[in-house]
Amino acid sequence: MQIGRWNHQGSGGTASGAGAHASRERRGRSSSFSPSDFSAPSRFGGGRPRGGRAGRGGSRGGRSFGAFGETEAEIAKFVNRAIVTTEEPVFVPEHKFSDFDINAHLKANILAHGYELPTPIQDKAIQHALAGQDVVGLAATGTGKTAAFLIPLIDKVMKQKGERILIMAPTRELAVQIEKELAGFAKGLGFRGMVAVGGANIVPQIKQLKLDPAFVIGTPGRLKDLEERKAIDFGGFGTVVLDEADRMLDMGFIDDMRFILGKMRKERHTLFFSATMSRDIERLIGDFLSSPVVISVKTRDTSANVDQDVVRIARGADKFETLIELLSDREFSKVLVFVRTKHGAERLAKDLSRRHIHAESIHGNKTHGARMRALDAFKRGSVVALVATDVAARGLDIPAVTHVINYDLPSTYEDYVHRIGRTGRAAHKGKALTFVQG
Ligand code: AMP
């Protein structure tokens, strides 16, 4: 293994440097991958890749076709020191939650949820949504956009009995996250919300819809299925939220989104959130929103909080052994490991478990319940490594992920940025390591 300049000779050879050291110390006392290692420029930030093209070592799980990180110029983008961000100005919101003209019980729930002051997107969007205006929020995950739409819409449901809210999200996990936040804010308010996502049995969802929940949070594909089974009538919803609209486009949901929006009332309230702006996004906004207020919150580049480096795997060496060495280190206590395929994720988690490293996987071939169980175990800390595909991990907000390991290269630089954004969240610093063969 080579992080910066170290070489890993492979499982059969003589490991040198940190790799061998780490395996000897297996979760023991102070480990070779101490935080100071990450700040030592000669080993990490200083370990810029050399010239030449990366090899295509064929160890397990690796697939270098169509990947980002196959040239030295691309590999150089995986090496970055976290920027010290203490000089960043503290955001002073214009509003306090108590300033908003919202239900008093809802206000109390917001405080009980631990939110003291609005985040920038909440500070700017809530008042417009409360006034019934369409809103386009250009904001990424981690900005507090969920509460930016939930707070005004919960208030709306309290003020207008019979109002029904549809929330579309790209992934099951994000839908569940939204529902959890909704449950917290809506405690004691006397209405229901439900999750309608694929990968879970549709029958209980049909039953829940019969109870006429105020909030339906779903993925576009499953929502459309439910409509085709006549379990849901989109015409009954006066308000719709499109969360992470750009991700939904990326995931091929455009036709389903247009189908659902097309079935809704023309005079409706639409809140639209996207991390990025593109022609397709502009077209969607133009087609489905009416005179929206556009709010853009500048987000600090999440990767600025993340120490990034490459782990060079010698040609012919087994990167699985390198992963074992890293995970055997105490510092690597909550690690998100990215692979390219669902099968790869499943197999790697099993292989790790066989080597007595507590690992779980999340990917699209698992049932919704199994994914949630894996995610909860990881969040609780009873699992050291969560092996995930890009799609399964999108938008996840998992506190205190210590490391992101790119076991397989990402497909694009954008995917890379999304991957490493799962660590270094809030004010924390994170660490990201990308396996590069050759
Ligand atoms: P989101 O962008 O909605 O996924 O939110 C990102 C994280 O910020 C979540 O863990 C939220 O619980 C948290 N959060 C959102 N709004 C606030 C707030 N006003 N105060 C403190 N934490 C918040």
Side-chain angles (χ1 to χ4, degrees):
M1 163 176 51
Q2 184 179 341
I3 300 180
R5 292 200 220 119
W6 286 323
N7 259 317
H8 181 242
Q9 310 292 329
S11 50
T14 35
S16 65
H21 197 185
S23 60
R24 276 199 303 273
E25 293 194 333
R26 279 191 72 89
R27 301 206 171 281
R29 56 208 161 75
S30 84
S31 59
S32 50
F33 291 96
S34 67
S36 61
D37 283 337
F38 284 89
S39 58
S42 59
R43 295 164 97 180
F44 286 89
R48 292 232 164 232
R50 295 174 302 272
R53 204 182 152 72
R56 295 181 180 215
S59 74
R60 72 175 94 184
R63 212 197 93 190
S64 48
F65 238 79
F68 182 90
E70 297 198 292
T71 64
E72 288 297 331
E74 288 176 353
I75 291 169
K77 297 191 105 178
F78 300 145
V79 184
N80 263 309
R81 306 281 304 119
I83 296 165
V84 179
T85 52
T86 42
E87 324 82 47
E88 194 158 297
V90 178
F91 170 70
V92 182
E94 232 177 86
H95 305 92
K96 293 197 221 66
F97 285 117
S98 55
D99 294 342
F100 294 122
D101 179 21
I102 53 174
N103 180 287
H105 195 143
L106 169 59
K107 266 186 205 174
N109 283 353
I110 295 169
L111 288 179
H113 207 67
Y115 292 4
E116 284 171 17
L117 287 170
T119 65
I121 184 76
Q122 294 161 6
D123 197 38
K124 291 180 184 154
I126 289 176
Q127 53 185 330
H128 294 292
L130 281 172
Q133 287 171 288
D134 280 4
V135 173
V136 171
L138 297 173
T141 359
T143 55
K145 65 184 167 54
T146 315
F149 61 78
L150 283 181
I151 290 170
L153 297 182
I154 292 169
D155 186 67
K156 188 174 188 181
V157 165
M158 298 309 294
K159 287 190 176 130
Q160 302 173 27
K161 297 288 169 210
E163 178 66 18
R164 294 292 169 260
I165 317 265
L166 184 67
I167 299 174
M168 278 190 252
T171 62
R172 310 159 199 193
E173 281 73 18
L174 184 56
V176 169
Q177 242 167 246
I178 296 169
E179 204 278 330
K180 267 199 186 149
E181 195 148 351
L182 172 68
F185 290 145
K187 215 173 257 172
L189 293 180
F191 64 82
R192 301 164 189 271
M194 69 163 284
V195 171
V197 293
N201 190 346
I202 200 166
V203 178
Q205 294 175 8
I206 294 174
K207 280 193 190 142
Q208 278 181 285
L209 281 167
K210 289 200 173 117
L211 300 173
D212 191 24
F215 282 77
V216 176
I217 306 156
T219 45
R222 174 53 61 95
L223 288 169
K224 187 165 175 251
D225 274 1
L226 288 162
E227 203 266 352
E228 280 161 359
R229 293 177 187 231
K230 307 251 176 298
I232 191 167
D233 170 17
F234 297 125
F237 291 81
T239 303
V240 64
V241 178
L242 290 105
D243 194 15
E244 301 202 358
D246 50 349
R247 291 265 141 233
M248 289 198 276
L249 288 187
D250 286 352
M251 291 170 73
F253 282 137
I254 183 68
D255 292 340
D256 294 342
M257 287 158 78
R258 284 184 171 273
F259 172 87
I260 294 165
L261 291 167
K263 294 257 173 190
M264 293 184 76
R265 291 184 220 146
K266 289 271 170 299
E267 68 305 340
R268 59 154 192 272
H269 189 191
T270 307
L271 307 180
F272 186 103
F273 291 84
S274 175
T276 55
M277 200 35 127
S278 66
R279 264 225 205 110
D280 286 334
I281 291 285
E282 274 177 28
R283 214 170 293 139
L284 262 184
I285 293 170
D287 290 350
F288 292 105
L289 278 78
S290 99
S291 319
V293 178
V294 180
I295 293 160
S296 173
V297 297
K298 201 182 125 293
T299 40
R300 187 178 58 219
D301 179 7
T302 44
S303 55
N305 262 359
V306 183
D307 261 327
Q308 303 159 57
D309 211 336
V310 293
V311 177
R312 292 197 178 254
I313 317 278
R315 206 176 291 251
D318 189 345
K319 64 179 177 174
F320 178 69
E321 295 303 326
T322 305
L323 181 64
I324 294 274
E325 282 174 13
L326 290 171
L327 294 176
S328 302
D329 191 287
R330 224 170 31 173
E331 284 287 319
F332 289 66
S333 59
K334 201 170 189 188
V335 185
L336 199 49
V337 182
F338 278 98
V339 296
R340 303 252 306 193
T341 66
K342 300 170 198 174
H343 290 299
E346 184 72 26
R347 194 180 54 201
L348 185 56
K350 284 201 173 122
D351 288 350
L352 287 172
S353 300
R354 242 173 252 131
R355 296 285 292 270
H356 310 293
I357 292 190
H358 287 131
E360 280 285 352
S361 64
I362 50 166
H363 54 76
N365 283 354
K366 276 199 160 175
T367 64
H368 178 58
R371 287 163 71 154
M372 291 317 293
R373 279 194 295 281
L375 200 54
D376 280 346
F378 186 58
K379 281 186 177 172
R380 278 200 315 273
S382 49
V383 156
V384 170
L386 184 67
V387 187
T389 56
D390 290 276
V391 169
R394 232 156 232 176
L396 289 184
D397 181 33
I398 305 166
V401 170
T402 60
H403 296 79
V404 164
I405 293 180
N406 295 309
Y407 188 74
D408 291 341
L409 289 173
S411 304
T412 61
Y413 185 64
E414 202 200 348
D415 280 347
Y416 172 74
V417 172
H418 276 287
R419 286 178 174 192
I420 68 167
R422 301 305 107 206
T423 180
R425 291 172 80 75
H428 300 115
K429 258 203 190 180
K431 288 159 194 163
L433 295 174
T434 302
F435 283 15
V436 175
Q437 295 199 293

